Amino acid sequence: MSPATLSYAVPNLYGQSFLSMTDATPDQVKAMLALAIKLKADKRSGTAHRLLAGKHIALYFELPSNRTRVSFEVGSADLGLNTVHLRKEEINLGVRETIADTARTLSRYVDAIMIRAGSHHDVSELAEHATVPVINGLTGLHHPCQVLADLQTVLERAGALEGKTLAYIGDGNNMCHSLMLGSALVGLNMRIATPPDYEPQADVVQEAEALAQKSGASLTLVHDKYEAVTGADAVYTDVWASMTNKHEAEERRKAFAGFIVDQDLMAKANPGAFVLHCLPAVRGEEIAHETLEAHADAIFSQAENRMHAQKALMLSLMLKQ
Ligand code: CP
Ligand code: NVA
């Protein structure tokens, strides 16, 4: 059980923060995915790696969570890493004291900080003043931990990333942003369909296009969901109204009408194409109930992979090599 050392390669991002997929190089992302797949197999066979024993991570949630909270808690326990859970009412980031003071204080107690907050700017400020790695557990702009798990799932199911095609149907939101960057880094083609006015941010598209040029991936933005799924090996969707824009849910329901991933749409994708969803899902809006159920194995494996991918990430950021 519990070997003191790991015979696998751990990408060396020691001491760095991970706020966006672009905080790792293509090789580092690929190495993290390879490590995540090995850690998953080891967990299945009962081999533990308590390589972060004696260290502590703070988990701060300004917004609700199931997957992020539990996958970080359990993944940390697997690595021997102690978690300190902080609620919004306790920290009240940027209100009770300056963000810089929160960052400097937490850095004296813990070895890393995972944060979920609406404002990406706040999270960047926290990382700027922290002397320990800060991990983005979702902001309104990015959700890179989810994308590590998503890429792991595509790799496991499609057998490769480079040259494969992922379609994304829905809002040009945090998921869409991080998926564009992650896919462009590793050479996965992306075809995105959003309603007009709900495209991903232009600066993130530009960043992804520059990365895609280097990796050879293609990035296509359209407004027709059928066009987007043509030639797709996997089809991804996410809620129409994210946590940070729940107040727009009613108007978004109108703007996104028809942007549902259902069996009719899946029939236009490549044979054997699978569906991914970061969850939580709103059945009957972005995804049909029967489609979620038909692809439940892929979708819940994707949720499981959060834990394995984040273990690989925490080892990369926190294990001194
Ligand atoms: N996918 C995801 O981040 O789920 P939670 O909001 O439940 O953490
Ligand atoms: N776009 C969604 C992702 C949830 C994991 C949100 O921000 O609410």
Side-chain angles (χ1 to χ4, degrees):
M1 207 66 181
S2 300
T5 55
L6 194 64
S7 53
Y8 314 137
V10 176
N12 192 355
L13 284 91
Y14 183 73
Q16 294 182 39
S17 287
F18 186 71
L19 305 190
S20 164
M21 285 304 296
T22 53
D23 287 332
T25 65
D27 283 346
Q28 287 170 336
V29 172
K30 288 177 202 163
M32 269 193 257
L33 300 178
L35 178 59
I37 289 171
K38 288 183 176 134
L39 293 171
K40 181 175 182 174
D42 282 352
K43 188 168 167 100
R44 292 265 196 282
S45 67
T47 304
H49 300 287
R50 298 177 63 80
L51 292 163
L52 299 179
K55 292 188 185 280
H56 309 268
I57 185 169
L59 307 177
Y60 173 54
F61 288 91
E62 204 175 89
L63 295 163
S65 172
N66 168 6
R67 281 144 289 269
T68 305
R69 165 86 196 268
V70 180
S71 59
F72 266 104
E73 290 271 5
V74 176
S76 298
D78 285 350
L79 296 172
L81 175 65
N82 177 53
T83 58
V84 182
H85 188 246
L86 300 168
R87 291 177 303 130
K88 180 176 165 56
E89 307 83 78
E90 289 155 345
I91 296 291
N92 218 350
L93 191 70
V95 177
R96 190 162 178 265
E97 61 186 346
T98 66
I99 293 177
D101 287 351
T102 300
R104 291 186 295 179
T105 305
L106 285 176
S107 299
R108 297 294 181 108
Y109 300 132
V110 298
D111 302 283
I113 303 165
M114 192 292 307
I115 174 167
R116 165 169 289 194
S119 163
H120 191 80
H121 184 269
D122 284 0
V123 173
S124 298
E125 194 176 334
L126 188 82
E128 200 180 305
H129 295 279
T131 55
V132 297
V134 173
I135 298 172
N136 178 356
L138 181 148
T139 64
L141 191 64
H142 290 301
H143 196 4
C145 290
Q146 179 67 53
V147 170
L148 288 178
D150 301 341
L151 294 178
Q152 183 187 337
T153 312
V154 174
L155 184 55
E156 288 171 342
R157 295 196 166 238
L161 293 169
E162 223 161 335
K164 299 289 176 184
T165 299
L166 174 68
Y168 176 91
I169 311 298
D171 188 19
N173 61 12
N174 47 5
M175 274 323 320
C176 183
H177 290 159
S178 290
L179 280 168
M180 281 194 308
L181 296 172
S183 299
L185 276 170
V186 300
L188 175 64
N189 303 318
M190 252 194 106
R191 300 172 63 85
I192 298 169
T194 66
D197 300 329
Y198 291 92
E199 295 91 354
Q201 270 183 214
D203 58 332
V204 185
V205 174
Q206 267 186 6
E207 205 182 353
E209 277 171 346
L211 292 168
Q213 269 207 336
K214 286 191 202 151
S215 71
S218 66
L219 175 61
T220 312
L221 278 80
V222 295
H223 293 129
D224 178 344
K225 69 173 184 176
Y226 292 100
E227 196 183 335
V229 300
T230 305
D233 301 298
V235 178
Y236 200 114
T237 190
D238 183 19
V239 289
W240 293 343
S242 286
M243 290 182 260
T244 47
N245 45 39
K246 277 273 173 266
H247 56 286
E248 296 173 6
E250 198 46 54
E251 66 183 86
R252 281 171 173 261
R253 240 169 250 133
K254 290 181 199 128
F256 283 79
F259 272 77
I260 187 168
V261 171
D262 56 14
Q263 299 303 78
D264 167 55
L265 183 69
M266 288 310 295
K268 308 287 188 297
N270 280 350
F274 52 92
V275 174
L276 296 176
H277 194 308
C278 55
L279 302 174
V282 183
R283 292 161 196 252
E285 290 199 356
E286 79 279 0
I287 190 163
H289 171 77
E290 59 171 341
T291 305
L292 197 157
E293 291 307 328
H295 294 271
D297 189 51
I299 292 170
F300 291 100
S301 295
Q302 181 189 359
E304 177 190 333
N305 285 342
R306 289 293 301 277
M307 178 171 61
H308 308 300
Q310 287 157 193
K311 282 167 71 176
L313 173 67
M314 290 189 285
L315 286 173
S316 305
L317 304 178
M318 299 179 72
L319 189 67
K320 193 156 172 57
Q321 305 191 43

